[in-house]
């Protein structure tokens, strides 16, 4: 198919994955259809707009699952900065592949009309900003703060400083679990970097008043002195604001807008209002933690999120996850495609093998015994003959993309079009732990669901 960037139809427009040397402006409307490398999607609505571009709510036509599509609008950027923006966007995509329940997950990336995009996890309850100003139950406040800390812990333990933590960048999924987002181009997008002299002498800083610590707002040393403690300060301000129905420790948002230099000086000197001034019922341990976090002195804060996490009450600290032993019968159900409704009993198939592996791939017909799990696909034919491998170890099932080469017992061959679990693409040589209900996507028209009985 040749690249046709957009075509007007009755239900909306159609966009195809495409790269161009000169980016073109792109804006989606409800009912527009987008054909990406990961499949076809329908645009439902715009979720947000900023200096970077747009974020949309999209739904997969294949699985009916919701995602968020973030498009970097390079057409509004200086061409000499294209490579830098693309690099940061790609870096953000990789950060979003870290496995954490409290980080928004990135699934796919590519380009539309020369503009980089990311397909990521959809969080239906929007950002934490919508909760600011409300009276929150103590349990919900505790849960939100712990989730933010866990998200920062995942970043810090991988050497990453978020640099722009604030309520707008903390999203709530369908269960109102908090997840950190916007860790991709946050130090580059227009609304998060300062090139004008709002402090009279700064050339460029990263972060957002009033959430950025003083060392982050000092262009002369901000890069050299920026540590994980910068995120700790931002967490403290966010938690303070959440606990006080929108109050800020160093002054009101009006003060920020009217005289940012004066506000910055108050932060630098540590002149904050105690949180108990606005919330007399807050638990004492949160008073101590939050006040420690918002200190202007780096050495007085928690060094990183792991140290902060360890300071929480014992009742907050969850036990480490360990997979449950395999009990019952595991079945693989084909949900769509030409063999929709077909079921494979993994326990029964494994009992016929001399090893602990089951191979999955394209089956030419019902007599094709090349794979333990052979699946036909008439139209797209995107399923590889050696597409994936199920591995049973220590009572659990794992999935790997590709299979062992027939000619070499040491060479592992990847599939041509990838293997996805819950829309996450398995990386090369990754052994993914499966659980009951996981959705496996292969080829262009086939989805499978793993079920435990």
């Amino acid at each position: 198919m040749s690249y046709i960037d957009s075509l007007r139809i009755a239900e909306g427009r159609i966009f195809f994955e495409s790269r161009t040397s000169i980016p073109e402006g792109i804006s989606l409307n409800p009912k527009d259809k987008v054909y990406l490398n990961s499949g076809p999607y329908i645009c439902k609505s715009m979720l947000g707009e900023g200096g970077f571009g747009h974020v949309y709510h999209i739904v997969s036509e294949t699985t009916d699952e919701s995602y968020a599509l973030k498009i970097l609008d390079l057409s509004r950027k200086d061409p000499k900065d294209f490579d830098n923006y693309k690099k940061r966007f790609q870096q953000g995509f990789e950060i979003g592949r870290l496995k954490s329940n409290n980080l928004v997950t990135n699934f796919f990336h590519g380009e539309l009309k020369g503009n980089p995009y990311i397909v990521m996890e959809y969080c239906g309850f929007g950002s934490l900003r919508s909760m600011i100003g409300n009276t929150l139950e103590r349990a919900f406040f505790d849960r939100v703060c712990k989730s933010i800390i866990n998200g920062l812990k995942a970043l810090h333990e991988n050497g990453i400083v978020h640099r722009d933590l604030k309520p707008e960048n903390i999203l709530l999924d369908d269960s109102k679990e908090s997840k950190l987002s916007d860790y991709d181009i946050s130090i580059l997008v227009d609304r998060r970097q300062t090139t004008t002299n709002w402090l009279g002498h700064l050339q460029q800083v990263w972060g957002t008043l009033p959430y950025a610590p003083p060392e982050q707002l000092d262009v002369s040393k901000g890069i050299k002195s920026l540590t994980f403690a910068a995120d700790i300060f931002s967490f403290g301000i966010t938690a303070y604001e959440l606990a006080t129905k929108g109050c800020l420790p160093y002054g009101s948002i009006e003060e920020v807008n009217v005289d940012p230099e004066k506000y910055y000086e108050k932060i630098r000197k540590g002149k904050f209002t105690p949180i108990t001034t606005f919330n007399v019922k807050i638990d004492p341990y949160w008073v101590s933690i939050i006040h420690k976090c918002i200190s202007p002195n780096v050495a007085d804060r928690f060094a990183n999120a792991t140290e902060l996490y360890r300071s929480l009450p014992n009742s907050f600290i969850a036990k480490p996850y360990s997979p449950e032993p395999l009990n019952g019968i595991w079945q693989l159900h084909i949900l769509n495609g030409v063999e929709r409704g077909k079921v494979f009993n993994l326990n029964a198939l494994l009992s016929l093998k001399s090893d602990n592996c089951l191979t999955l791939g394209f089956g030419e017909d019902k007599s094709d015994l090349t794979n333990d799990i052979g699946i036909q696909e008439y139209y797209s034919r995107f399923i590889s003959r050696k597409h994936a491998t199920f591995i049973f170890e220590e009572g659990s099932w794992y999935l790997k993309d590709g299979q062992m080469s027939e000619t070499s017992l040491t060479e592992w061959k990847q599939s041509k079009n990838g293997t996805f679990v819950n829309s996450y693409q398995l990386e090369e040589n990754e052994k993914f732990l499966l659980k009951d209900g996981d959705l496996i996507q292969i080829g262009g028209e086939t989805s499978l669901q793993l079920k435990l009985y």
Side-chain angles (χ1 to χ4, degrees):
M1 178 183 297
S2 62
Y3 288 129
I4 304 175
D5 289 331
S6 64
L7 175 67
R8 175 68 66 176
I9 59 172
E11 296 80 11
R13 297 168 297 172
I14 295 178
F15 294 86
F16 293 98
E17 181 106 10
S18 58
R19 294 174 179 268
T20 61
S21 57
I22 301 177
E24 301 177 40
I26 181 171
S27 181
L28 302 182
N29 300 320
K31 297 186 179 180
D32 283 349
K33 183 178 292 189
V34 186
Y35 284 92
L36 306 179
N37 289 333
S38 53
Y41 301 86
I42 298 293
C43 177
K44 305 298 286 186
S45 64
M46 189 197 307
L47 297 175
E49 180 179 10
F52 63 88
H54 302 82
V55 180
Y56 300 93
H57 175 200
I58 59 174
V59 175
S60 169
E61 278 200 317
T62 305
T63 64
D64 203 36
E65 291 186 273
S66 286
Y67 297 91
L69 173 65
K70 184 173 186 175
I71 303 176
L72 173 62
D73 190 354
L74 281 182
S75 68
R76 292 191 286 169
K77 307 299 179 185
D78 190 327
K80 71 176 185 295
D81 294 329
F82 282 179
D83 289 343
N84 201 10
Y85 276 97
K86 287 184 177 181
K87 180 180 177 181
R88 291 293 181 183
F89 207 70
Q90 176 64 28
Q91 176 180 289
F93 174 77
E94 298 300 334
I95 293 173
R97 302 296 292 277
L98 294 175
K99 292 179 174 60
S100 170
N101 291 331
N102 298 114
L103 295 178
V104 171
T105 301
N106 292 336
F107 298 117
F108 314 106
H109 66 106
E111 288 190 11
L112 278 171
K113 289 190 171 184
N115 299 288
Y117 73 78
I118 294 175
V119 176
M120 56 191 184
E121 182 178 0
Y122 173 70
C123 294
F125 276 95
S127 77
L128 191 62
R129 174 57 66 192
S130 64
M131 296 291 178
I132 302 293
N134 298 330
T135 300
L136 304 179
E137 293 183 1
R138 181 176 299 180
F140 182 75
F141 176 80
D142 290 348
R143 178 185 174 190
V144 169
C145 289
K146 178 187 171 184
S147 296
I148 297 171
I149 294 168
N150 277 332
L152 287 176
K153 186 169 174 283
L155 293 178
H156 292 179
E157 290 177 352
N158 283 277
I160 299 163
V161 183
H162 189 287
R163 292 192 270 202
D164 200 18
L165 185 72
K166 57 184 179 181
E168 288 82 355
N169 293 339
I170 301 165
L171 305 184
L172 302 168
D173 66 12
D174 290 342
S175 62
K176 290 192 176 180
E177 181 69 15
S178 300
K179 296 172 181 280
L180 276 55
S181 69
D182 203 19
Y183 30 66
D184 42 14
I185 58 171
S186 62
I187 63 171
L188 287 180
V189 294
D190 297 340
R191 64 185 296 182
R192 294 173 178 82
Q193 67 183 18
T194 301
T195 56
T196 57
N197 289 330
W198 58 266
L199 287 182
H201 62 279
L202 295 186
Q203 297 301 311
Q204 182 179 39
V205 296
W206 299 328
T208 303
L209 270 176
Y211 304 93
E215 74 272 12
Q216 188 171 344
L217 297 174
D218 187 340
V219 74
S220 65
K221 60 180 181 180
I223 297 175
K224 294 181 180 179
S225 65
L226 194 61
T227 65
F228 300 127
D231 287 341
I232 300 301
F233 182 92
S234 303
F235 163 76
I237 300 293
T238 299
Y240 187 109
E241 190 177 16
L242 189 66
T244 61
K245 299 200 294 185
C247 297
L248 295 170
Y250 289 99
S252 67
I253 194 66
E254 288 76 17
E255 292 179 75
V256 176
N257 295 330
V258 171
D259 195 342
E261 184 175 359
K262 182 178 179 180
Y263 191 92
Y264 170 77
E265 279 301 306
K266 290 177 69 175
I267 295 178
R268 191 177 64 81
K269 294 178 180 179
K271 295 181 178 180
F272 66 82
T273 302
I275 194 170
T276 48
T277 301
F278 303 111
N279 184 348
V280 297
K281 296 182 179 180
I282 188 170
D283 286 318
Y285 58 79
W286 278 124
V287 175
S288 174
I289 288 173
I290 291 172
H291 284 180
K292 183 178 176 70
C293 289
I294 62 176
S295 170
N297 300 315
V298 175
D300 292 340
R301 297 178 221 143
F302 298 99
N304 52 51
T306 300
E307 183 178 313
L308 172 55
Y309 179 79
R310 289 170 180 163
S311 75
L312 298 177
N314 291 333
S315 59
F316 275 28
I317 301 178
K319 297 179 180 178
Y321 169 76
S322 59
E324 297 180 0
L326 179 67
N327 294 310
I329 298 174
W330 288 85
Q331 293 183 351
L332 194 63
H333 294 245
I334 300 182
L335 301 182
N336 51 23
V338 297
E339 295 194 283
R340 179 179 178 180
K342 189 173 182 179
V343 178
F344 296 90
N345 186 319
L346 300 190
N347 298 56
L349 290 172
L350 190 64
S351 68
L352 302 176
K353 298 291 295 292
S354 59
D355 57 19
N356 66 335
C357 297
L358 296 176
T359 59
L360 179 152
F362 181 79
E364 191 68 44
D365 53 44
K366 295 185 183 299
S367 63
D368 189 340
L369 301 179
T370 303
N371 288 288
D372 302 307
I373 302 171
I375 298 176
Q376 300 179 70
E377 198 171 50
Y378 291 155
Y379 303 104
S380 64
R381 292 294 294 271
F382 287 158
I383 300 178
S384 302
R385 284 195 173 274
K386 295 185 174 297
H387 201 104
T389 303
F390 288 89
I391 303 170
F392 182 70
E393 288 182 351
E394 298 180 353
S396 298
W397 283 104
Y398 296 82
L399 185 65
K400 284 187 69 175
D401 178 66
Q403 294 180 19
M404 189 68 72
S405 170
E406 291 180 338
T407 58
S408 172
L409 295 179
T410 60
E411 181 184 2
W412 190 272
K413 286 198 162 188
Q414 305 300 126
S415 69
K416 292 182 178 179
N417 295 296
T419 301
F420 302 82
V421 180
N422 302 325
S423 297
Y424 165 75
Q425 183 172 9
L426 272 60
E427 297 180 354
E428 185 175 354
N429 295 321
E430 178 179 6
K431 191 166 67 173
F432 189 94
L433 175 63
L434 295 170
K435 62 182 183 300
D436 182 26
D438 277 347
L439 188 70
I440 301 169
Q441 297 159 295
I442 58 174
E445 56 188 279
T446 303
S447 297
L448 312 99
Q449 189 170 33
L450 191 65
K451 295 184 178 181
L452 174 62
Y453 294 90

